[in-house]
Amino acid sequence: MTDPTQEPSSPDYFSVADGPRPDYARLFRLDGRTALVVGGGSGIGRESALALAAQGARVVVADRDLAAAEATVAEADGASYDGGLVTHELDVTDEDAVRQSAAELGVVDTLVFTAGTNVRKRVLDYSGEEFDRVVGLNLRAAFDLVRAFGPGMAQRGRGSIIGLASMRAVMVEPGQGVYAATKAGLLQLLRTVAAELGPQGVRANTIAPGVVGTPLTTQIRADEEWAGAYATKSALGRWAHPGEIAGAVVYLASDASSFVTGSQLVVDAGWTAVDGRFTPPG
C-alpha cells in the first residue's frame, strides 16, 4: 500500500544523458550480438550480413533458398569476419515457420528483413493473386517477423529492428503502385513498433534505398534507356552497389544510432532531393 505522506519518486530522465560518453572507437562494433538477416542470400541482404559480421556480430543468414544463404557464408571464407555467419532456411511467407524460427534461434539482438518482390504493372492490370503475393512478402511477412522476434527483444530490454523500405515509400511512378503501397505500409508499421516498443528499449527503423543493382532490378538494368534514366535522376548520377546500403544497416544495428528510432534513413543518392531530370539552361 502506498504511503500518502511519501513523495512519489520521479522517473530518471537523465541517467544516460548525464553518464559517460560513448566509446567512440567501438561505436559501430557489434561484438557479442546476434543479427538475423532475412533475405540474406542475395543483394542487399547478402552485403548486410557480411557487413554485420565484419563488425563482430554473429549473423544468421536466413533465406528460403538455402543454397543462396550458403553462398553468402562462403563469401566470408578466408576473410576477417569476427562474428561468424551461419545459415537458416526460412520461408517468411509461412507464419508458422517464422514463429518456429524465433523459438529455435533464441536471442536475436538485431532483426533485418530485406526480402521483397515486385510485379511491375499498372494498378488496373494487377490480378488479385499478384497483389496478395507482393503484399504477402513485402508487408505481411514483416508483420509476422516483428510479432515473432519483438517480444523477446522487449523482454530483454534491447533490440534493433531494421526493415528495407524504398524511396517508393514516398515517391511513386506508373507500374509501381502496389510495391510502393507495401513500402509505405512498412514505414508506418515500423514507426508504430518504435512507439510501442520504445519504452522497452527496442528501436525500429527503415532504410529507403534508391536504385540498387540487385536481382529485383534485373528487368530495369537490362534496358539501357530505362537504366540510364534511373541513373541520371539522382544527384550522383549512378546506380548503387548493394554494399553501399550495408553501412546504413550497420549504423542502425549499432550503438552509433542508440537515439534513433521511428525513422526512415534515405540512401538514394539524392533522388528524392532532386526535382526532375532536366537541368534548365543558365
Side-chain angles (χ1 to χ4, degrees):
M1 190 170 177
T2 304
D3 183 351
T5 65
Q6 187 176 16
E7 287 289 328
S9 60
S10 298
D12 188 355
Y13 294 118
F14 305 109
S15 58
V16 175
D18 293 335
R21 65 170 57 90
D23 181 355
Y24 295 135
R26 300 185 58 80
L27 204 55
F28 292 91
R29 294 296 302 177
L30 298 166
D31 304 275
R33 303 184 197 183
T34 296
L36 171 63
V37 180
V38 177
S42 65
I44 294 171
R46 172 171 291 177
E47 300 305 318
S48 297
L50 295 172
L52 291 165
Q55 292 299 323
R58 174 184 177 271
V59 179
V60 179
V61 183
D63 206 291
R64 66 180 173 184
D65 183 346
L66 186 58
E70 290 170 344
T72 296
V73 174
E75 287 270 344
D77 286 350
S80 178
Y81 291 97
D82 299 341
L85 301 95
V86 297
T87 61
H88 182 73
E89 188 173 7
L90 175 62
D91 179 358
V92 290
T93 63
D94 183 339
E95 181 182 352
D96 291 336
V98 170
R99 190 182 302 110
Q100 182 63 31
S101 289
E104 290 176 5
L105 294 175
V107 175
V108 170
D109 302 291
T110 299
L111 169 63
V112 184
F113 36 94
T114 69
T117 192
N118 191 7
V119 175
R120 298 177 187 279
K121 286 185 177 180
R122 293 173 181 260
V123 171
L124 297 186
D125 297 327
Y126 244 79
S127 70
E129 184 276 330
E130 289 166 336
F131 180 91
D132 290 342
R133 174 152 48 92
V134 174
V135 173
L137 181 56
N138 293 4
L139 188 57
R140 174 59 193 264
F143 171 70
D144 288 337
L145 284 163
V146 168
R147 288 194 301 159
F149 289 92
M153 291 181 176
Q155 290 167 9
R156 292 186 295 274
R158 67 182 189 278
S160 177
I161 298 171
I162 304 166
L164 265 292
S166 168
M167 63 182 180
R168 295 298 175 210
V170 295
M171 299 184 70
V172 74
E173 67 180 4
Q176 295 271 46
V178 176
Y179 177 81
T182 63
K183 295 305 183 179
L186 178 61
L187 170 60
Q188 293 299 81
L189 175 66
L190 290 193
R191 281 176 169 168
T192 304
V193 172
E196 293 177 353
L197 297 187
Q200 285 77 51
V202 180
R203 298 183 297 110
N205 296 282
T206 57
I207 296 170
V211 289
V212 187
T214 70
L216 194 60
T217 57
T218 299
Q219 179 186 2
I220 300 171
R221 289 180 290 125
D223 185 315
E224 186 175 348
E225 183 179 5
W226 196 0
Y230 270 32
T232 55
K233 173 63 178 72
S234 74
L236 296 183
R238 63 176 178 84
W239 285 64
H241 182 277
E244 293 182 284
I245 312 302
V249 174
V250 170
Y251 167 68
L252 290 175
S254 73
D255 291 341
S257 62
S258 59
F259 203 54
V260 179
T261 194
S263 294
Q264 175 151 268
L265 178 54
V266 179
V267 189
D268 69 349
W271 180 301
T272 52
V274 176
D275 182 18
R277 295 177 180 161
F278 176 70
T279 302

